[in-house]
Amino acid sequence: MVTSKKGSALTMVVHATVLFLVIMWTIPTAGLFISSIRDKDQLSVSGWWTALSSSEQKIVYRTPDADSEIQENGLYVLRGNLLEGGSGKVVKFGISSLKPEAFEPGTETQDRRGVTFKIMANGDYEVTSDKSFRRGVRIFYTAEVPPRFTLDNYRTVLSSEGLGQSFINSLTVTIPATVIPILIAAFAAYALAWMKFPGRALLIAGVVGLLVVPLQMSLIPLLTAYSKIGAIFGIEAKGYVGIWLAHTGFGLPLAIYLLRNYISGLPGEIIESARVDGASDFVIFRKIILPLSFPALASFAIFQFLWVWNDLLIATVFLGNTEESLVLTGRLRELLGSRGGNWEILTASAFITIIIPLLVFFGLQRYLVRGLLAGSVK
């Protein structure tokens, strides 16, 4: 009975923890999606959690020039509406940048040049002067704007020039950079787990040590060495071969460590029986180890694919920033501008770029936890 209560309590704790993790992942993802379909002006002044409520925006409006003026009772008059589409209402207005919220809607005021302003809550304005308007006059106002949702952010990203080529470039980089380290690591992991040779323990220690080497510290020396070696064999410094090798090198320590832990946990009786039957190490690896290690291979493939797909630093160093070689993350960076302030582009881009990784994850996710924990559980 006591054991049953303990088991029930542990199950509740596990369920609560999983629920907490799901909520912690879902909330920012929902916020990102909501931001991606909001109007860019509202996105810049309020958070996604206020998406369903009206937002206040401080706007500077310039009236049309003399071409739009009319004459009434000897005065020149400009009329129009401050609110595009007629949605929202004006809560404050001003005629100077020093006091942009000086007046209530419906108030009539005059500047030092004798120009009279009258702004209504619905956005209608009337500007009068005894002289013709050489150019439009500025009106500062604060408006309460109802929530607006649009797909324009996605249209901007999807219609950008060169996006399709960048998508193909990302696939060209990601697929080989995922497959190559898996192939190499699988052989290395089997050797470190079941083959006895001098220095095996030192190699395992070296692999573990390489896990903590910062990527940024080795990136430039690696590029320099690759450029010098490539010059000997006539291989250009900026190209796909270089970035494939770079991602392979940076991904191998984790791949070998993960696969070695899994393979070493496989039942030794199976391997010993195969050796008694005369199977070579290559046959054992191909017919026994690989089929049994698919969960670990799939789990690492997810991590490596996500890492390479979302990479920008290595792609910039080894491929450059030319129009023909830009990967998807590089193309989206160009859309953000030099200051990176276009949040509507950033949020829409995020959802576009996760489509392929989501397909990979959901295709292999049933193997993820099994592959990560199998080595420790066994």
Side-chain angles (χ1 to χ4, degrees):
M1 188 71 177
V2 177
T3 304
S4 177
K5 289 184 178 180
K6 287 184 178 180
S8 177
L10 180 60
T11 302
M12 292 180 61
V13 171
V14 172
H15 289 173
T17 303
V18 171
L19 179 63
F20 174 76
L21 293 176
V22 169
I23 293 174
M24 292 297 293
W25 184 88
T26 303
I27 289 177
T29 305
L32 191 67
F33 175 71
I34 294 172
S35 298
S36 70
I37 59 175
R38 293 186 69 195
D39 178 75
K40 64 178 182 179
D41 294 326
Q42 294 185 346
L43 180 61
S44 63
V45 297
S46 62
W48 63 268
W49 52 90
T50 63
L52 297 179
S53 60
S54 299
S55 60
E56 281 197 357
Q57 297 182 15
K58 300 182 187 299
I59 305 172
V60 181
Y61 179 85
R62 183 175 288 277
T63 65
D65 55 17
D67 294 338
S68 301
E69 67 185 13
I70 59 175
Q71 282 188 285
E72 292 181 357
N73 302 322
L75 296 175
Y76 295 91
V77 182
L78 288 173
R79 291 192 180 95
N81 192 284
L82 301 175
L83 303 173
E84 297 180 2
S87 60
K89 66 177 181 178
V90 177
V91 294
K92 297 281 185 179
F93 79 94
I95 57 176
S96 168
S97 59
L98 299 177
K99 297 180 179 179
E101 299 180 340
F103 308 103
E104 297 287 338
T107 305
E108 187 173 294
T109 185
Q110 192 175 65
D111 66 8
R112 59 186 180 182
R113 296 173 297 175
V115 179
T116 303
F117 297 82
K118 187 174 183 180
I119 314 296
M120 307 306 293
N122 64 355
D124 291 337
Y125 67 85
E126 182 179 276
V127 183
T128 59
S129 174
D130 56 357
K131 298 179 181 179
S132 177
F133 294 93
R134 294 183 178 180
R135 60 176 183 173
V137 295
R138 293 190 303 172
I139 301 174
F140 302 85
Y141 69 97
T142 301
E144 280 190 2
V145 182
R148 291 199 298 262
F149 298 97
T150 176
L151 295 177
D152 289 344
N153 303 331
Y154 287 95
R155 294 190 187 99
T156 301
V157 175
L158 292 175
S159 61
S160 63
E161 185 179 356
L163 187 70
Q165 180 62 44
S166 297
F167 187 84
I168 295 174
N169 291 344
S170 288
L171 288 178
T172 305
V173 171
T174 305
I175 294 176
T178 302
V179 174
I180 295 173
I182 289 178
L183 292 176
I184 299 175
F187 283 105
Y190 171 73
L192 292 176
W194 291 104
M195 295 177 66
K196 296 181 180 180
F197 54 89
R200 186 178 68 165
L202 291 178
L203 285 176
I204 296 174
V207 169
V208 175
L210 287 174
L211 289 173
V212 299
V213 175
L215 164 67
Q216 296 80 3
M217 185 179 73
S218 57
L219 195 58
I220 300 303
L222 182 63
L223 176 62
T224 303
Y226 172 76
S227 300
K228 292 179 179 179
I229 297 174
I232 298 175
F233 295 96
I235 302 175
E236 59 181 72
K238 302 282 187 177
Y240 288 113
V241 175
I243 195 170
W244 292 339
L245 294 176
H247 279 301
T248 298
F250 292 128
L252 274 178
L254 176 62
I256 295 174
Y257 179 76
L258 180 66
L259 295 177
R260 187 259 174 192
N261 285 347
Y262 184 91
I263 292 174
S264 63
L266 295 176
E269 294 80 3
I270 299 177
I271 299 173
E272 294 300 329
S273 298
R275 285 177 176 166
V276 170
D277 291 337
S280 64
D281 284 315
F282 181 74
V283 173
I284 293 173
F285 173 77
R286 184 169 58 88
K287 294 188 176 182
I288 298 177
I289 300 299
L290 279 184
L292 293 176
S293 302
F294 189 77
L297 296 173
S299 62
F300 173 74
I302 293 175
F303 284 118
Q304 181 71 358
F305 189 95
L306 293 178
W307 156 248
V308 179
W309 181 264
N310 293 319
D311 170 69
L312 176 61
L313 177 60
I314 298 178
T316 301
V317 172
F318 281 89
L319 283 182
N321 291 319
T322 62
E323 288 294 317
E324 296 77 16
S325 62
L326 268 180
V327 294
L328 191 58
T329 50
R331 179 69 60 185
L332 299 178
R333 179 199 59 190
E334 297 294 326
L335 288 177
L336 289 176
S338 59
R339 297 183 180 179
N342 300 329
W343 289 102
E344 72 281 1
I345 300 298
L346 180 62
T347 52
S349 302
F351 265 86
I352 291 174
T353 55
I354 66 175
I355 294 175
I356 299 299
L358 278 180
L359 294 177
V360 173
F361 176 77
F362 286 118
L364 300 176
Q365 59 88 22
R366 58 179 175 169
Y367 302 106
L368 179 61
V369 176
R370 197 193 319 172
L372 288 177
L373 299 182
S376 60
V377 172
K378 290 178 182 296

